Amino acid sequence: MGAALSLLDIGLTSHLQRQVWQGSPVNDPDSNIISSGFRALDLALPGAGWMPGSVTELLIEESGVGEIRLLAHSIRELTASKGRSVIFVAPPWKPNLAALRTMNIAVNKLVWVKAAEDQVLWAAEQSLKQEGIGAVLIWLPQVDAKALRRLQVAAQEAQSLAFLFRPLKAAKQSSAAPLRMVCKPILPANAQTMNRREWMQAVMLEIDIIKRRGPLLGKPLQLNLPLQMPALPEHIRRAHQARKAREVKHVVDSGDIAAFIARSRQAAFDALSAGELDIAWSELDGE
């Protein structure tokens, strides 16, 4: 990991003065704030965007509900506009460069760190200590309160963004993260008449902010996350068209949305390993 991180750009300096906050509890603009790309969400976030130097917990039922699409605008801003690096620590699926390029993300600024579950926290902390880091995305099912405090301190010292993906059941646990959000997919009203691709285009994301600086959110937000498909080689495009002609309609209960997405993504991975597709992680989750 050290060898990979040593290739990152150098240039981030510590901003100790920003560790002392003064101002109104919500929507206090800061030049270092990174917009989420969603106006409604920005208005609900302290500082009107993602605040560097803090951990944001995204509590999800299953990986693949749209969490990367939710962060895509911010990752693009950090990598393509600001020239900073973004590190993925222990994602459950292999990042797909073709789909990330479709989002205009500078993939040369992305680092994928593989880590066993008992090493994820250490890898995240070491990532935050590197120079030139804009954000660290961390997938960690189990973490205790002490470890969360340590991660928050690391993010604060680095003045970088840290996004921690945890299961929904963690919402009942205390956390040192200043911002905690429950993210759930919303089933389209006419889902029973849609095929899988149409269904994925129409699924929205409900966000309930259960902890933030200032008063709690009055009601959950509902965001429509754009789903951009990477360009396919001609032979794969024709194969897609042939499959679409015989595609089976899917009927999914609202309580099984995330599980359905996960199963669909796994099917894509099975096809990938069989040589049928060259996309997987991003086609089904929009990354």
Side-chain angles (χ1 to χ4, degrees):
M1 175 178 162
L5 293 179
S6 66
L7 300 177
L8 301 179
D9 293 343
I10 297 176
L12 182 66
T13 58
S14 177
H15 298 281
L16 296 179
Q17 69 272 17
R18 293 194 66 249
Q19 297 186 22
V20 178
W21 174 81
Q22 292 180 329
S24 62
V26 181
N27 295 335
D28 183 24
D30 186 295
S31 59
N32 292 319
I33 294 287
I34 302 297
S35 171
S36 69
F38 301 92
R39 176 173 170 76
L41 181 56
D42 280 350
L43 291 175
L45 296 175
W50 305 119
M51 184 173 294
S54 64
V55 174
T56 296
E57 276 191 51
L58 299 176
L59 306 172
I60 56 179
E61 183 179 0
E62 292 276 356
S63 180
V65 297
E67 62 271 24
I68 299 300
R69 278 182 283 159
L70 177 65
L71 301 180
H73 178 275
S74 305
I75 296 174
R76 180 169 61 248
E77 174 71 14
L78 289 168
T79 58
S81 299
K82 296 183 177 295
R84 310 196 72 76
S85 296
V86 173
I87 300 182
F88 292 68
V89 180
W93 312 106
K94 180 181 178 180
N96 185 281
L97 294 184
L100 292 168
R101 288 192 186 100
T102 302
M103 297 178 174
N104 296 318
I105 291 172
V107 296
N108 63 312
K109 290 293 184 179
L110 301 181
V111 177
W112 173 27
V113 177
K114 295 182 180 180
E117 188 171 329
D118 60 351
Q119 297 178 335
V120 171
L121 187 63
W122 177 86
E125 291 176 353
Q126 296 305 309
S127 298
L128 286 166
K129 291 179 181 179
Q130 306 304 310
E131 298 290 339
I133 301 300
V136 178
L137 281 63
I138 311 142
W139 283 262
L140 187 57
Q142 302 290 336
V143 60
D144 58 34
K146 182 178 179 180
L148 271 173
R149 287 194 295 271
R150 201 163 68 238
L151 187 62
Q152 170 58 27
V153 169
Q156 187 173 3
E157 290 178 348
Q159 282 301 293
S160 298
L161 295 173
F163 296 98
L164 178 62
F165 301 102
R166 301 181 67 194
L168 281 179
K169 62 183 180 181
K172 299 179 181 179
Q173 303 170 6
S174 61
S175 172
L179 182 62
R180 308 186 76 198
M181 303 164 52
V182 172
C183 303
K184 296 180 180 180
I186 304 174
L187 188 68
N190 56 338
Q192 294 182 349
T193 64
M194 294 180 175
N195 60 39
R196 178 173 58 83
R197 186 179 301 275
E198 294 169 336
W199 188 87
M200 288 298 298
Q201 288 279 6
V203 168
M204 299 179 68
L205 193 65
E206 179 182 272
I207 296 179
D208 190 8
I209 300 179
I210 61 174
K211 180 182 177 183
R212 68 172 180 174
R213 192 183 66 204
L216 291 179
L217 196 64
K219 63 179 181 179
L221 301 174
Q222 294 187 355
L223 302 181
N224 187 2
L225 306 180
L227 179 64
Q228 294 175 297
M229 305 298 292
L232 294 176
E234 181 62 23
H235 71 285
I236 295 179
R237 187 186 66 80
R238 289 197 299 268
H240 266 291
Q241 289 178 336
R243 279 194 295 273
K244 186 175 181 181
R246 61 179 185 272
E247 199 164 25
V248 177
K249 305 292 183 181
H250 292 277
V251 180
V252 184
D253 182 80
S254 60
D256 297 326
I257 297 175
F260 172 74
I261 295 173
R263 288 196 301 272
S264 298
R265 186 196 278 111
Q266 186 57 53
F269 272 110
D270 293 341
L272 177 66
S273 63
E276 297 178 9
L277 299 175
D278 65 349
I279 57 174
W281 193 54
S282 299
E283 182 200 8
L284 296 174
D285 188 36
E287 288 87 50

